[in-house]
Amino acid sequence: MKKQLKTVSLLLAIVFLLSALPGTVIAAAGGLVNILVQPTLVFERVYAFSDGLAMVVTKDQKVGYVDKTGKYVIQPIYDAGGEYFTEGLVQVATGNWEDGYKYGYIDKTGKVVIPLKYAQAEAFDDGLALVAEGNWDDGFKYGFINKTGAVVVPLEYDYAGNWFYDDMVRVAKSDAEGRYKYGFINKSGGVVIPLQYDSIGYFYDGLATVYQYDESTYLYKVGFINKSNTLVIPMDYSGADSFNNGIAVVSKYGDDGSKYGAIDTTGKVVVPLVYDYMYGFSEGLAAVYNYDDNWNTKYGYVDTTGKIVIPMEYDDADSFYDGMARVRKGDWSTGKYGVIGKDGKAIIPLEYEMIGWGLYDDLIAAKKDGKWGYINKANKLVIPHMFSYAYSFYNGMAEVSKGSWEAGGEKWGIIDTTGRNILPFDYNYAYTMGNGLISVQTYNEAEGYKTGLADISGKIVLPVEYNQMIGAYSGPGWIGVGSWEKGFTWGIIEVTPSYEAYDPKALDEPSSWFQEWLDEALEYGILPADMQIGYQRNITRAEFCALAVALIEKATGKTITERGSFADDEGDINIQKIGGLTIVSGTDAAKNLFSPDQGLKRYEAALILDRIARREGAFNKPLPEGTAAFTDIQNLPEGWVAAINRMRGVSPGIMSGKEGGIFDPYGSYTTEEAITTMVKLYRHYIA
């Protein structure tokens, strides 16, 4: 998907401890994440916040509503309720599934505005709400009330739509044989279209599809009426789409099955009904196909006069968007994809195993030789084919993956339109949320999935330690720790979104504090040319190896001749050199993996820097022992602790800690932080 923000409404529950803890504000480059309540509240399910309130359900299945501090605004005294307040009201109920519910409406203070007396109730829309009387055994009767509780449309219908569209709503009553007959009523309950049809669609371009069942053929007959219930287009068809820009796709069933074509609003056939299928028009063209003798489809395109303007020679074809359509020749497994223009000429040659859904940020995702990359409209390769999967760009960012489960796990990261990492390949999944934040997930068998948030610089702004995150797009949302089997403890965060497009140059310039260190690195000649960019980006394991090789070879005046190898080093000479000196180790010894594109962690930086200082073939000048200065490293392996402490063994220290006296061993490391530590280590060597 390009980003699918698909949400399933969930009931949320609180059972104890509804006291808000002091908020922790974490600044993000593209927004702000504010932890309002730490995960101390025990819930079963949660609904997303709406208008500052969220529905919660207690362990004894009572519904209430809390504010963003976790405190009840409406006590949990109901047995069911609606997810969202609409027009200041929400439906709530007492009762149970077996005996039935009694619904009414309350306001945001909890005051009952409309008594709890209806068997069903929906949210208000434009001053009206659908309600029902009855039960499952005898059936329900539907009507509409206003916000005072007055019945505006009598509760006499066996079916009614939830919302009015164009001041009309579809309703139905069953006839003597128990079959529903459909029509339309207006907001005052007046019948606009009599209830005489076996089915009816909404009005588009002034016409609505109507259906009557033909018992002699066991098929529906379909035609079109206007708002006066005049049959404008006879019921000559067995299927029909709604009108769109004056044209509707229709079909007739015959000896050869259904055949598709199109008509205009007068009923005139504009595309002959000769196709086995026809898609709707987009940008003046519609994809059509016919089956050949082997039941293979052949696609082409027709215009609004019915003329075939692009021959039926493709095995798959999409609708046009922005003057382009994706097409394929060949079967699903071996065929080749490309992109054509409305003149039928190839814009992107049909040479790819798969192509993304469209041109976004002037780039198209394309797969070749089993790997995804990005090309432009001129078919020029902009970002090499090196990804296991690649989504389309959005706001200057795209989700991509490397690796596979067979080779040690697929890892996801985020790149910009130049192909450089915004978010290193550290995660089991990552996606841009469109609000200036990136959702990231990790997984292991012991702890399951953990989720957190990064900003658009790749910096983690909400730790990746939560098992659930609900509604954290804009405003308050939930974070949870636990499992559905054992239950969760929940907290509340608040997100301030940013919708600016990502600027790939935003992280290229050095920070003000770093400029003197950059000048010194350039003066010493320890900064490779291809590392003189992206200073504020998080550095990868491979990039840190490149810095380490440049440092060692410049300082010692010797070229590293030792070589190591990893299954995934892709021939990177710097990884092989540092591996040959046993300065670095892999991420999976059993599979001999190095994970070059994963982000470097701070503890890894300390280990590598310490080994550079100590190893023969490198500096062979160990750092002095340092004092235990950090409060968050005591539980790390002894060797790690010693290496981290040695980062403080010389003045002013090779690596500094973080605010609050911590080292943050698993935190990310930026390129400018890495270069600074290389300069400090070089000083140690030449001292």
Side-chain angles (χ1 to χ4, degrees):
M1 71 179 179
K2 179 77 193 153
K3 273 53 65 279
Q4 298 182 33
L5 295 172
K6 296 181 182 175
T7 56
V8 177
S9 296
L10 298 174
L11 282 178
L12 234 197
I14 296 177
V15 293
F16 72 81
L17 192 55
L18 283 168
S19 60
L21 300 182
T24 302
V25 178
I26 307 175
L32 192 71
V33 179
N34 184 5
I35 300 178
L36 302 178
V37 182
Q38 298 287 349
T40 53
L41 311 173
V42 178
F43 308 133
E44 284 191 8
R45 306 241 185 237
V46 298
Y47 273 128
F49 279 85
S50 169
D51 254 355
L53 296 179
M55 179 173 146
V56 298
V57 181
T58 63
K59 285 288 187 181
D60 58 359
Q61 301 303 305
K62 290 296 183 180
V63 171
Y65 294 83
V66 299
D67 63 18
K68 65 182 183 180
T69 70
K71 294 181 179 179
Y72 280 116
V73 174
I74 298 168
Q75 292 296 316
I77 59 174
Y78 298 104
D79 298 302
E83 177 180 359
Y84 300 116
F85 280 83
T86 58
E87 301 180 10
L89 301 178
V90 70
Q91 67 272 35
V92 291
T94 58
N96 58 63
W97 182 259
E98 292 182 355
D99 299 324
Y101 290 97
K102 293 296 182 182
Y103 278 90
Y105 293 83
I106 60 174
D107 64 19
K108 293 177 69 175
T109 69
K111 177 184 176 182
V112 175
V113 176
I114 298 172
L116 281 64
K117 62 180 181 178
Y118 295 105
Q120 295 181 27
E122 299 294 338
F124 272 91
D125 179 63
D126 199 19
L128 297 178
L130 177 69
V131 294
E133 294 176 339
N135 56 62
W136 292 110
D137 293 330
D138 301 321
F140 297 94
K141 294 295 182 179
Y142 295 89
F144 289 85
I145 61 173
N146 64 22
K147 293 172 68 175
T148 69
V151 174
V152 177
V153 176
L155 280 66
E156 61 185 40
Y157 296 100
D158 297 304
Y159 164 83
N162 286 7
W163 300 285
F164 284 81
Y165 176 75
D166 199 17
D167 289 331
M168 295 184 293
V169 68
R170 182 169 51 192
V171 294
K173 289 183 178 181
S174 58
D175 62 13
E177 297 177 353
R179 295 180 301 187
Y180 279 5
K181 292 295 182 179
Y182 290 85
F184 282 98
I185 61 172
N186 59 27
K187 289 185 174 182
S188 63
V191 175
V192 179
I193 302 296
L195 282 63
Q196 65 186 73
Y197 299 104
D198 290 320
S199 187
I200 190 169
Y202 279 90
F203 284 89
Y204 295 92
D205 290 345
L207 299 177
T209 51
V210 289
Y211 299 75
Q212 295 287 20
Y213 184 66
D214 186 346
E215 293 185 352
S216 65
T217 62
Y218 303 106
L219 297 172
Y220 282 99
K221 292 183 176 181
V222 186
F224 291 84
I225 61 171
N226 62 20
K227 291 182 179 180
S228 299
N229 197 34
T230 300
L231 189 65
V232 176
I233 298 173
M235 292 186 175
D236 294 336
Y237 301 102
S238 53
D241 293 342
S242 298
F243 274 94
N244 182 23
N245 291 326
I247 295 178
V249 175
V250 294
S251 64
K252 281 187 178 181
Y253 185 80
D255 294 338
D256 296 329
S258 292
K259 292 295 182 180
Y260 289 78
I263 59 176
D264 65 18
T265 54
T266 69
K268 177 184 175 182
V269 174
V270 294
V271 178
L273 279 69
V274 296
Y275 300 105
D276 290 322
Y277 194 75
M278 178 177 178
Y279 292 87
F281 278 92
S282 176
E283 300 184 0
L285 297 179
V288 294
Y289 69 70
N290 281 326
Y291 291 105
D292 62 18
D293 293 338
N294 296 316
W295 289 98
N296 297 313
T297 54
K298 289 297 179 181
Y299 286 78
Y301 293 85
V302 297
D303 64 17
T304 55
T305 70
K307 179 182 177 181
I308 297 177
V309 294
I310 298 176
M312 300 178 70
E313 59 187 32
Y314 299 104
D315 294 287
D316 192 20
D318 295 335
S319 297
F320 275 89
Y321 175 74
D322 199 21
M324 300 182 296
R326 181 177 64 174
V327 293
R328 186 190 80 233
K329 284 188 176 181
D331 61 29
W332 288 104
S333 59
T334 62
K336 298 297 183 182
Y337 286 85
V339 175
I340 60 173
K342 294 171 70 174
D343 59 1
K345 295 180 180 179
I347 296 174
I348 305 295
L350 278 69
E351 60 185 42
Y352 297 99
E353 294 153 25
M354 180 57 75
I355 280 184
W357 287 100
L359 186 72
Y360 298 93
D361 291 332
D362 297 322
L363 294 174
I364 302 173
K367 185 180 182 183
K368 201 168 193 177
D369 298 327
K371 295 291 185 180
W372 286 84
Y374 293 87
I375 57 177
N376 62 19
K377 196 174 180 179
N379 197 34
K380 179 181 178 181
L381 185 62
V382 178
I383 300 173
H385 299 286
M386 58 182 175
F387 304 111
S388 302
Y389 197 81
Y391 284 106
S392 298
F393 274 90
Y394 176 74
N395 268 359
M397 299 180 286
E399 302 94 343
V400 292
S401 69
K402 285 188 175 183
S404 66
W405 290 112
E406 296 81 7
E410 185 180 27
K411 295 294 185 180
W412 288 83
I414 308 293
I415 60 171
D416 66 22
T417 53
T418 70
R420 290 179 292 169
N421 286 359
I422 297 172
L423 186 77
F425 292 80
D426 291 349
Y427 303 98
N428 293 96
Y429 192 60
Y431 67 90
T432 58
M433 299 175 65
N435 63 347
L437 294 172
I438 301 166
S439 174
V440 297
Q441 285 185 347
T442 60
Y443 175 81
N444 62 62
E445 291 185 3
E447 297 181 309
Y449 285 99
K450 294 289 186 74
T451 188
L453 294 172
D455 65 19
I456 58 174
S457 74
K459 176 185 176 183
I460 295 297
V461 295
L462 183 71
V464 189
E465 58 186 40
Y466 304 103
N467 301 106
Q468 281 288 321
M469 188 162 56
I470 296 174
Y473 181 78
S474 177
W478 299 97
I479 48 176
V481 176
S483 68
W484 292 116
E485 294 79 13
K486 297 180 180 179
F488 291 95
T489 55
W490 294 85
I492 301 173
I493 63 173
E494 189 164 37
V495 173
T496 302
S498 172
Y499 303 106
E500 294 182 5
Y502 177 77
D503 179 4
K505 298 180 180 179
L507 303 178
D508 286 347
E509 296 300 317
S511 300
S512 57
W513 69 264
F514 172 64
Q515 187 61 58
E516 62 179 286
W517 296 103
L518 174 59
D519 294 341
E520 195 168 350
L522 293 171
E523 178 184 345
Y524 292 150
I526 60 173
L527 184 57
D530 59 0
M531 293 292 293
Q532 296 176 24
I533 195 171
Y535 297 111
Q536 296 184 57
R537 296 173 187 267
N538 291 333
I539 196 167
T540 66
R541 288 167 55 84
E543 290 168 340
F544 200 73
C545 287
L547 288 179
V549 167
L551 172 68
I552 294 169
E553 293 187 341
K554 179 64 177 180
T556 64
K558 299 177 182 179
T559 300
I560 300 171
T561 58
E562 292 85 352
R563 297 290 185 271
S565 65
F566 297 91
D568 59 347
D569 65 27
E570 299 179 347
D572 189 316
I573 190 64
N574 294 313
I575 295 174
Q576 293 173 357
K577 285 182 177 182
I578 296 298
L581 294 177
T582 66
I583 287 174
V584 296
S585 55
T587 56
D588 188 327
K591 297 180 179 178
N592 192 33
L593 298 178
F594 183 73
S595 303
D597 296 305
Q598 284 189 14
L600 186 79
K601 302 297 186 288
R602 288 175 55 82
Y603 83 86
E604 293 175 322
L607 290 173
I608 293 171
L609 293 167
D610 184 58
R611 290 168 187 164
I612 290 174
R614 291 189 291 114
R615 286 286 194 268
E616 291 186 14
F619 285 4
N620 198 21
K621 186 178 180 180
L623 292 165
E625 297 298 325
T627 57
F630 304 111
T631 60
D632 60 341
I633 64 173
Q634 293 85 351
N635 295 325
L636 298 178
E638 184 177 342
W640 295 16
V641 173
I644 291 170
N645 285 335
R646 281 193 285 269
M647 295 300 100
R648 304 284 292 178
V650 295
S651 180
I654 303 298
M655 289 182 68
S656 302
K658 298 286 187 177
E659 185 178 350
I662 65 171
F663 183 74
D664 190 19
Y666 296 100
S668 57
Y669 210 46
T670 66
T671 298
E672 56 190 10
E673 287 175 326
I675 294 170
T676 299
T677 54
M678 294 295 177
V679 170
K680 291 178 178 180
L681 196 58
Y682 184 82
R683 287 178 178 178
H684 164 71
Y685 180 75
I686 64 175

